Amino acid sequence: MRVNFTVNGRKQEADDVWEGESLLYVLRERMGLPGSKNACEQGECGSCTVRLDGVPVCSCLVAAGQVEGREVVTVEGLADYAKHRDDAHPGGACASGACGTSVDAAQRWQAKPQDGRSAESGDLSPIQQAFIDAGAVQCGFCTPGLLVAADELLERNASPSDQDIREALSGNLCRCTGYEKILDAVRLAAARQEEAV
Amino acid sequence: MATTGTPTNITQGSKTKGGIGESTLRPDGTLKVTGEFAYSSDMWHEDMLWGQTLRSTVAHAEIKSIDISEAVAMPGVYAVLTYDDLPTDVKNYGLEIQDTPVLAHGKVRHHGEPVALVAADHPETARRAAAKIKIEYVELPVITDEASATAPDAVLVHEGRDDHHIGHVPHPNIVHRQPIVRGNADEAAKRADVIVKGEYTFGMQDQAFLGPESGLAVPSEDGGVELYVATQWLHSDLKQIAPVLGLPEEKVRMTLSGVGGAFGGREDISMQIHACLLALRTGKPVKIVYNRFESFFGHVHRHPAKLYYEHGATKDGKLTHMKCKIVLDGGAYASASPAVVGNASSLSVGPYVIDDVDIEAIALYSNNPPCGAMRGFGAVQACFAYEAQMDKLAAKLGMDPVEFRQLNAMEQGTIMPTGQPVDSPAPVAELLRRVKARPLPPEQQWATAGEQADVRALPGGLSNTTHGEGVVRGVGYAVGIKNVGFSEGFDDYSTAKVRMEVINGEPVATVHTAMAEVGQGGVTVHAQIARTELGVTQVTIHPADTQVGSAGSTSASRQTYVTGGAVKNTCEHVREAVLEIGRRKFGSYHPAWATAELLLEGGKVVTDGGEVLADLVDVLEDEAVELELEWRHRPTEAFDLRTGQGNGHVQYSFAAHRAVVEVDTELGLVKVVELAVAQDVGKALNPLSVVGQIQGGTTQGLGVAVMEEIIVDPKTAKVRNPSFTDYLIPTILDTPTIPVDVLELADEHAPYGLRGIGEAPTLSSTPAVLAAIRNATGLELNRTPVRPEHLTGTESS
C-alpha cells in the first residue's frame, strides 16, 4: 500500500508498504531516518518515541497505515520543531529517500573536536543541548526517544518537579546512565528556558 | 534533592584546554542527540539482504534431520545455510575454549542455539522462510545444576573434551575449578568466638544493552569480507571469525559501528560469523539485526551462582577465617567461564584481612543459557555473599555493621588470599566512613508536611494501594573489591597510532586505536590525553578498525588504563620526535633546546620554566610525525591450580554503598529511596564521565537486587522471559537519587595514577540494597533478586 504523511514538516510518500510494517520500520528503512531507535520493538523501552500529531508514541507499536494523513516528528526534526514550536513548524530534516547510514558515510565518520560543542552554533534544541552539557549521553541508544519525550514534557510543563520528570520519562529505559544525568539535563533545559523568557 | 554533579574534590589537570582532569564533552554527543550517529543497526547498503537466524526450540536434543526445501523455494529468499554449508573444517569458535558451534551440528545444547540461517530481500520474508525450516529433534535429559551435572550417569555436555582445563576438573561437566588455600582455616576456626554460615543464590542477570546485536557484512572483490559491527573487541572477533570462514585475517576487515551499550554482552561472537557466511554465499551485502527476543538468546548472561560461606570472628570483632564454595553455572558453552572462576575465587574474601582461607570456585557446563562476561565478572556474586556474611557476623557480635567492616578492612600492604600484596591505596574504611557520614534522606518523603501525600514516591508508585501505612524504612551498607584489567598472566596490551601534522595552519593530532567505544567515553578521554601530552587543541579520533593493532577488550574496567596508557605512551614518543625536529631546525638559536626539559603546551614548544621556544606550526611545517606503538601494563601471573597462589591481578578498584529503602510489608513492594556511593578512582581524567559511570553501574546493581532475572525453567532449561515486558530493568521511577563521592588516591603504577572505575559500583550496590531490605523487614533474604513473595511469605515452592 501507499502511505502519505508528514515527517518533520515535509510531505512524504511511502510505496509498497507491507500491511504489517510499523511506523518505526518505515521511518528507519524507507524514509532514511534511523534516529528513532529499534531497542525492543515491543513498546517497552521508549527508544523509538516520536510525536504523532503532537502526542508521544512508540513508533514500533504504530502500524504504518495508521499514520495516513497525519503528522510525525522524530528526533531528526526536533531542533526545527522546537525552533518553530508556535508556528506550523515548516521545513524538515532528512528526506533524501536513501535509507539509513551508507557504508561510505560510516567510513568517513570521525569524531571531530568541535562535535561536542557544535551546539553553540544554535543548531540544537534546548533539550538536545542540555543532554550534551549534563553528560546525559553515554552509549546514546535511548537518547533520541528520551529527547522527544522530554521535549514534550517541557512543552506542557515549563518547570517540572523531579517527580513530574520521572513520571514523564518512565516509559523510556536507559541502561547506561542511572538516570541522574538525564534528570540533570531536563532540569537544566527547564532552567535555561526560564532564563530565556 | 540535588545530586552531586561534578565532585568538588577532583583536581584540575593540564594547561592545554580540554586536557585530562576536565569534564570535556563527548565528541560524538551532537550526532547522538540529533539521531545521526550510525549504530550497527542503522547501516545500509544498496542491494542489501536481511539475514535471519533459526534457533532451537529445545534445550538439549539430537538433531535427526533438517529440511530446508520449503524455505529455499520462497520468493525473495537468496540463501539458506546449515552446518553442512560451513566452508572449512573449523566449525567452532570461543573466547578461551573453541566449543561453540557456528551452527548446531548433531546436537543442540541450549534453548535458542543457532541452527540455520536465511538471507532474503525483506526482514519479514527472512523470518517467514526461517519458520518454514523443519527440524526433527530427539530430546535428551537436561543438566541444570551441580547435582545433575556431576551425577555418576550424567550425560556429558561436551564429549571428548581436550582443552587444557580438563586435567584439573573433577568431572568433564565442570568447565574450570580454582581452589585457593592459604593458612589453615580449620585451625583458625578454633579461635573464633562466633561462626556464621550462609547459603546464597544469585539469579541470572542480563546485560540488557539497548542497541540490539546487529551489523552489516559486505563481500569484497578479493574474496574477503568487510564487517561493520558493534563489539567490545574487534581483534578478538577477528581471530574467531577468520578461521571459520576459511579466510586469512587480512581478508576480514572489521570496522566498529556505533555500539548501543555492551556491559560484557558483546565480548562473545553473536551475528558476526553468520552475516559474513551469508554475504560470502550470496555475494551481496547482508544485514542482521536481532529483535529483543532474539537478543536474549544471542548473548551470554551473568553466571547465576550458589555460594556456600562460613566465617568466624573473635568477640572483639576480628575475622578469624573464611571457607567458601562458589558454584557458577556457565551454561552450554565455556565463553569466559574459566576467567570468571579465577575472579570469583581470588576476590571471594572481599576487601577484608583474613589470613586463613579455604576457597573453591567452579563453573559448570549445563544446558542452561551460556554465561560469560558481565560488568563485575565473578566478583559481583561473591560480594553479594560475603557482604551478607559481614552483616550476620556484626549482628551476632552486637556490633555496628560499618564499624565491624572497618575493623577488618584491608589497606595498602594487605596480602590477598592469593599471596599478592596490595601495593596501591586501598581506602576501604574511608569509603565506608564517607557513605555513612552522609546525611540520611528525610523520612516519609511521600508525606510532605501540610500537603497531600505524593503517592508517586511510595513503594509501588501510582499503582500502590497504600498511603504509607505499613511502610518501613531500612538502611544497609556494602563495600566491594574488583580487579582491573585482564588477570592471570594474560598478555593484556593495547596499541595506539598517533599522527601530528599542521592542517589549515593549526597543529592537529589524530589518534587511531581499535578501542571499542561502547558508551563509556573512551573517545573523549583519548582526545584529552592527546591534548595534555601534545599541547594541541585539535584532536581527531579515527574510527576504530582492524587496520591498526589490537586495543584489547572494552571490559574489565581496563580501557582507560590500557588503551589510555597506549595513547599516552605513543603521544610521548611523538612529542619526542616533534622536539627532535625542533632541535634540528631551531636548536642553534637558543641553548634551551638542548639543556631544558621541553613541553608542548597551547600549540607551542615551551621550557619547564615557561619560556616559549617555538610555535608547533613552525616546527612541523609540512612534516607529519606518525607512530604506532604497543603498550603493556606490568605483567601478572597465573594462579597455581592447586593452591591459588600467584600475583594474578594488575590493580584493584573499590566502591562502597549505603542504601536507604522503604518496604511496603503488606504487598512486598520495595522503593529504593537513595543509593549513596563512594569510590576511589585514582585520578578522574573526566569527572563528568566518572560520575556517570558510577551512577550507571550502581543502577545495574540495584536492578539485580530487586527485579532483574532471566528465569530458566528447571525442568526444560527453557528461558521463560526473553522480553522487556518480562525481564525488568530499572526505569527512572525505580532508580533513586545516587549521590556520588569521588576519591582520587593515585596508584603510582598506573598512567596518571588512574584506577579502572566501570565495574566496582556494580558490586556493592546489590548487597547494600539487600542489607537495607533486611534491616527494614528483619527477614534473612538469601537470594537475589528479592521479589514480593519473598517479603510477604507467600512464595510457592
Side-chain angles (χ1 to χ4, degrees), chain B residues 83-116:
Chain B
Y83 171 77
D84 292 333
D85 299 300
L86 297 180
T88 73
D89 289 341
V90 184
K91 299 179 193 297
N92 289 356
Y93 65 89
L95 287 174
E96 296 186 56
I97 300 172
Q98 283 68 50
D99 63 3
T100 312
V102 172
L103 292 168
H105 44 100
K107 223 177 174 189
V108 292
R109 296 181 179 84
H110 69 92
H111 182 204
E113 181 163 347
V115 182

Side-chain angles (χ1 to χ4, degrees), chain A residues 23-84:
Chain A
L23 171 59
L24 177 64
Y25 184 89
V26 170
L27 289 171
R28 287 176 56 81
E29 307 297 340
R30 295 183 182 277
M31 301 280 106
L33 296 170
S36 306
K37 289 292 163 241
N38 54 318
C40 78
E41 298 179 72
Q42 58 187 152
E44 294 288 349
C45 74
S47 304
C48 65
T49 304
V50 301
R51 294 181 69 168
L52 181 58
D53 289 345
V55 179
V57 295
C58 288
S59 59
C60 68
L61 294 185
V62 177
Q66 285 179 285
V67 301
E68 177 66 34
R70 299 171 76 179
E71 194 171 353
V72 173
V73 177
T74 73
V75 71
E76 286 96 340
L78 195 61
D80 205 44
Y81 186 85
K83 206 179 285 176
H84 303 283

Side-chain angles (χ1 to χ4, degrees), chain B residues 404-424:
Chain B
F404 177 73
R405 285 175 171 84
Q406 287 171 323
L407 189 63
N408 292 288
M410 68 158 51
E411 52 193 19
Q412 186 162 358
T414 294
I415 306 296
M416 295 289 288
T418 54
Q420 182 173 18
V422 177
D423 62 358
S424 63

Side-chain angles (χ1 to χ4, degrees), chain A residues 24 37-49 58 60-61 141-146 149 169-175 179, chain B residues 208-212 292 723-725 729 731:
Chain A
L24 177 64
K37 289 292 163 241
N38 54 318
C40 78
E41 298 179 72
Q42 58 187 152
E44 294 288 349
C45 74
S47 304
C48 65
T49 304
C58 288
C60 68
L61 294 185
F141 212 78
C142 66
T143 304
L146 275 161
L169 303 185
S170 61
N172 292 77
L173 295 176
C174 167
R175 189 55 157 168
Y179 302 105
Chain B
F209 44 73
L210 286 198
R292 185 52 52 180
S723 73
F724 276 175
T725 310
I729 72 172
T731 70

Side-chain angles (χ1 to χ4, degrees), chain B residues 607-778:
Chain B
T607 67
D608 55 351
E611 191 181 355
V612 175
L613 295 186
D615 278 340
L616 278 171
V617 172
D618 298 327
V619 173
L620 286 165
E621 292 181 302
D622 54 1
E623 279 187 72
V625 176
E626 183 177 289
L627 289 172
E628 179 178 333
L629 297 173
E630 284 180 2
W631 186 81
R632 285 167 168 77
H633 55 64
R634 53 187 176 152
T636 60
E637 59 194 31
F639 298 128
D640 184 277
L641 284 165
R642 288 164 296 109
T643 64
Q645 299 301 292
N647 292 327
H649 296 311
V650 183
Q651 184 192 58
Y652 301 101
S653 179
F654 304 93
H657 279 91
R658 181 190 68 193
V660 179
V661 305
E662 284 170 352
V663 182
D664 179 338
T665 51
E666 208 176 337
L667 295 174
L669 300 172
V670 176
K671 166 90 180 175
V672 182
V673 176
E674 188 198 77
L675 247 174
V677 51
Q679 184 168 342
D680 174 20
V681 304
K683 163 77 184 169
L685 299 200
N686 185 310
L688 189 68
S689 299
V690 161
V691 171
Q693 282 293 307
I694 294 172
Q695 290 168 332
T698 296
T699 305
Q700 290 190 341
L702 157 74
V704 81
V706 296
M707 60 182 75
E708 290 187 37
E709 185 178 11
I710 291 184
I711 297 167
V712 183
D713 187 311
K715 293 195 180 75
T716 62
K718 287 192 188 183
V719 178
R720 282 176 168 170
N721 58 340
S723 73
F724 276 175
T725 310
D726 297 312
Y727 182 90
L728 304 178
I729 72 172
T731 70
I732 197 168
L733 284 173
D734 303 307
T735 307
T737 306
I738 306 171
V740 176
D741 191 354
V742 173
L743 271 72
E744 294 186 281
L745 303 176
D747 176 353
E748 59 172 294
H749 309 287
Y752 305 115
L754 69 83
R755 205 181 273 285
I757 53 168
E759 295 173 287
T762 312
L763 267 63
S764 45
S765 161
T766 308
V769 170
L770 262 289
I773 301 172
R774 290 188 199 105
N775 180 249
T777 62

Side-chain angles (χ1 to χ4, degrees), chain A residues 69-193:
Chain A
R70 299 171 76 179
E71 194 171 353
V72 173
V73 177
T74 73
V75 71
E76 286 96 340
L78 195 61
D80 205 44
Y81 186 85
K83 206 179 285 176
H84 303 283
R85 203 178 288 283
D86 298 325
D87 357 308
H89 33 82
C94 168
S96 63
C99 299
T101 302
S102 73
V103 170
D104 280 354
Q107 279 171 327
R108 283 196 307 271
W109 180 80
Q110 297 191 320
K112 301 258 171 37
Q114 65 272 21
D115 284 345
R117 289 277 188 190
S118 84
E120 283 168 6
S121 66
D123 291 340
L124 300 181
S125 69
I127 191 67
Q128 286 171 319
Q129 185 60 50
F131 263 62
I132 293 175
D133 293 342
V137 181
Q138 290 189 14
C139 91
F141 212 78
C142 66
T143 304
L146 275 161
L147 288 169
V148 172
D151 184 67
E152 191 273 341
L153 165 69
L154 293 173
E155 183 179 295
R156 62 182 156 80
N157 182 352
S159 47
S161 69
D162 282 6
Q163 279 298 346
D164 294 336
I165 301 171
R166 288 182 190 277
E167 199 176 346
L169 303 185
S170 61
N172 292 77
L173 295 176
C174 167
R175 189 55 157 168
C176 295
T177 65
Y179 302 105
E180 283 283 69
K181 303 234 168 283
I182 291 167
L183 279 160
D184 288 347
V186 180
R187 293 184 198 116
L188 180 63
R192 283 177 178 169
Q193 274 183 357

